[in-house]
Amino acid sequence: MQFQLTEEQLAVREAARDFAQQVCKPGVIERDSTMAYPTEQVRQMGELGFMGMTVSPEYGGSGLDNISYVLALEEISKIDNSCSVIMSVNNSLVCYGLETYGAEEQKQKYLTKLATGEWIGSFCLSEPEAGSDATHQRTTAEDKGDHYLLNGTKNWITSGGTSQVHLVIAQSNPDAGHRGINAFIVETGWDGVEIGAKEDKLGIRSSDTHTIMYNNVKVPKENRIGDDGFGFKFAMKTLSGGRIGIAAQALGIAGGAYELAVAYSKEREAFGKPISHHQAIAFKLADMATDIEAAKMLVYRAAWLKDTHGNYDQAGAMAKLFASSVAMKHTVEAVQVHGGYGFVKEYHVERLMRDAKITQIYEGTSEVQKIVISRGLLKGELYV
Ligand code: CAA
C-alpha cells in the first residue's frame, strides 16, 4: 500500500492550484454575486487540458489518470465551484461517457471538441418528476426509422446555457421500463431545442444551470449511444464515475474552508492571544483536519479503483456521501471560526458554505448514495 503521489500527479496538483489562485480567485466574489458565467476561466481550463483530463490524447484529451483528475478538481474547488462543476460534468459525465460507450464516429465528431474545451457538454437526465427516481423518464424518443423524435423537459442542467452538446436520456419503449431507455447526443443548435432561463441558485451561482425543452427534435439514429435500450445503464455507469468528481469537489470545498479558517485563526486575536491558541478553536481545526483526511482517503481510493478497473460504484458513492457531509459540516464551522467576518462575502467562507450544499444533492442525493452502498453490500459486492 502506498500513500505517495507520483511526480506527474504532484505537478498536476500544482498547476491546478496556480490556476485556481491566479485565474479563478480574482473576481470570484463578483461572479458569484452577479451570476456571471466564468467564460475566461473555462477557456483557460480547456487550454490547460483540464476539460478532458482522462481522455486519450488520440481524441484531444490529456491522457492522465483519475487521481490527477481528482487532485485538479480538489484544488479548483477550494476557490471556484462554478468552474469545478463545469469541469466535472464535462470530464466525468460527458467525455468519459462518450469515450467509453460512444462509437468511433461519435468520438471523432464530438469527443475531439469536448475534450479540448472547444465545446462544452451537458448531461441531461433529471426531469421535473424524475430526479432520484431516474428510471421514470417522461422524455420520449420515438423511433421513426432513420431518426428518433425527441420530446420532453430536462431540469437543473449544468452548462445548459453554454453547452454545444447534450447527452440526453429518454424513453423509447415505455413497456420495457428502464430497458427501453436510450441515451442520445443532441446538438444545441438543432431545431426544437429550447433553453429556459438561468436558475438563480444558493451556491455555484456563476455556473449556468437551466431547464431545457426538446420539442420534436429530430435526432439521427447514429447519435444514439450504444445498443437500443442501453441508456439507463449508460447513465448509471457514467454517474458512478461522476460521483467521484463531485466527491473531489466536496473535498476541495472542505479543504478551502479549512485553509481559510487556519489562516484567520492565527491572525485574529482575542483575550490576548491568537484565537487558534484557544482550545475552542484549536479543537474545531483538529476535527476539520481529521475529517478532511478521512474524506481524502475515500476520494483517492475511489479514483484509484477507477484507474485500476475495479468496481467503484460503492467506493464512489461512499466518497461522495462522506466528503459532501464533511464539506457541509466544516464550512459551517469555518464560518463560525471567522465570527462576524465569516458572514460577509469578502472572506470567501460563506460562499464555500453555500456551495457545499449542492454536493449533497447533485449526481445523486446523499440518500441515493446510501441506496447504492446498501444494495452493493447486501449483494456482497462490498468488502469492508
Ligand atoms: N451500473 C450498471 N448498471 C446499473 C448500475 C450501475 N452502476 N446501477 C443500476 N444499474 C442497472 C441495474 O442493474 C438494473 O438493471 P437490470 O434490471 O437489468 O438488472 C437497472 O439499472 C435499474 O436499476 P435499479 O433497479 O437499481 O433502479 P432503481 O429504480 O431502484 O434506481 C437509483 C436506482 C440508484 C436510485 C438510480 O435511479 C439513481 O442513481 N438515481 C439518482 C439519479 C442521479 O444521480 N441523478 C443525478 C442527475 S445528473 C446531474 O446531477 C448532473 C449535473 O448536471 C450536475
Side-chain angles (χ1 to χ4, degrees):
M1 202 169 199
Q2 293 197 345
F3 289 97
Q4 272 169 332
L5 298 174
T6 64
E7 289 293 316
E8 186 176 63
Q9 290 161 349
L10 287 168
V12 170
R13 184 170 73 179
E14 199 58 36
R17 189 176 289 170
D18 285 351
F19 169 74
Q21 286 294 336
Q22 287 161 25
V23 183
C24 296
K25 196 167 180 187
V28 66
I29 295 172
E30 202 191 340
R31 288 195 301 277
D32 171 76
S33 170
T34 60
M35 306 198 314
Y37 183 78
T39 309
E40 179 55 21
Q41 288 72 18
V42 174
R43 189 189 68 74
Q44 290 197 35
M45 285 200 290
E47 255 178 29
L48 287 165
F50 289 160
M51 295 304 273
M53 286 192 73
T54 62
V55 175
S56 157
E58 189 190 341
Y59 300 111
S62 302
L64 293 164
D65 60 7
N66 282 282
I67 300 277
S68 300
Y69 169 51
V70 297
L71 289 169
L73 267 179
E74 185 185 343
E75 289 306 321
I76 295 170
S77 302
K78 287 179 179 172
I79 306 289
D80 189 334
N81 287 286
S82 294
C83 284
S84 64
V85 70
I86 295 164
M87 174 177 159
S88 178
V89 168
N90 199 69
N91 275 274
S92 317
L93 300 182
V94 180
C95 287
Y96 174 80
L98 278 176
E99 185 170 30
T100 311
Y101 303 108
E104 185 55 32
E105 306 77 60
Q106 295 172 343
K107 294 185 204 181
Q108 293 297 343
K109 187 167 178 189
Y110 296 106
L111 183 59
T112 49
K113 290 192 169 69
L114 291 159
T116 56
E118 183 187 342
W119 281 7
I120 304 296
S122 290
F123 187 80
C124 307
L125 171 69
S126 301
E127 299 186 351
E129 291 167 83
S132 293
D133 188 4
T135 57
H136 282 93
Q137 294 287 303
R138 296 276 174 95
T139 299
T140 54
E142 218 183 314
D143 190 338
K144 294 285 187 188
D146 66 335
H147 68 272
Y148 285 90
L149 202 60
L150 186 66
N151 278 289
T153 300
K154 296 290 177 179
N155 267 23
W156 308 297
I157 303 303
T158 300
S159 301
T162 41
S163 58
Q164 289 78 9
V165 172
H166 303 164
L167 301 190
V168 183
I169 313 299
Q171 180 57 268
S172 295
N173 179 6
D175 293 341
H178 69 76
R179 295 192 186 93
I181 292 175
N182 279 313
F184 301 96
I185 307 167
V186 175
E187 295 183 30
T188 318
W190 287 351
D191 283 349
V193 179
E194 194 186 327
I195 314 292
K198 183 168 175 166
E199 300 286 357
D200 187 350
K201 310 187 293 290
L202 173 72
I204 56 163
R205 285 173 53 76
S206 61
S207 70
D208 59 323
T209 311
H210 293 253
T211 294
I212 301 181
M213 281 76 68
Y214 302 97
N215 307 308
N216 291 320
V217 179
K218 274 182 160 184
V219 183
K221 269 267 161 83
E222 65 264 24
N223 275 36
R224 190 186 70 210
I225 301 171
D227 293 337
D228 191 18
F230 179 64
F232 189 71
K233 292 205 173 165
F234 169 82
M236 290 298 107
K237 283 169 181 276
T238 306
L239 274 166
S240 279
R243 289 165 184 164
I244 304 174
I246 301 305
Q249 180 182 52
L251 178 62
I253 293 173
Y258 166 77
E259 287 174 12
L260 289 167
V262 170
Y264 180 81
S265 69
K266 286 180 173 171
E267 277 169 21
R268 172 76 177 177
E269 294 201 357
F271 306 102
K273 56 185 177 183
I275 60 169
S276 57
H277 291 202
H278 291 288
Q279 198 180 71
I281 301 299
F283 279 16
K284 278 192 202 301
L285 298 177
D287 284 340
M288 280 185 202
T290 306
D291 281 347
I292 290 168
E293 272 310 295
K296 200 172 273 189
M297 292 300 119
L298 286 174
V299 176
Y300 294 2
R301 178 173 171 272
W304 171 80
L305 277 170
K306 195 170 180 198
D307 281 329
T308 52
H309 310 291
N311 178 352
Y312 52 86
D313 294 345
Q314 280 79 39
M318 281 181 165
K320 182 177 182 293
L321 175 67
F322 188 73
S324 62
S325 128
V326 167
M328 197 66 253
K329 179 175 168 196
H330 291 310
T331 51
V332 172
E333 287 292 69
V335 169
Q336 191 70 17
V337 169
H338 282 74
Y341 292 103
F343 205 62
V344 295
K345 291 184 188 289
E346 193 187 334
Y347 282 75
H348 295 280
V349 278
E350 65 81 34
R351 185 183 71 259
L352 292 172
M353 183 182 81
R354 287 187 283 106
D355 289 347
K357 186 61 208 169
I358 192 62
T359 66
Q360 296 182 306
I361 299 173
Y362 58 20
E363 299 202 22
T365 60
S366 294
E367 292 74 14
V368 162
Q369 307 314 319
K370 289 182 192 180
I371 294 177
V372 173
I373 297 163
S374 58
R375 285 188 183 169
L377 70 89
L378 292 171
K379 275 198 282 180
E381 281 174 11
L382 193 64
Y383 175 76
V384 178

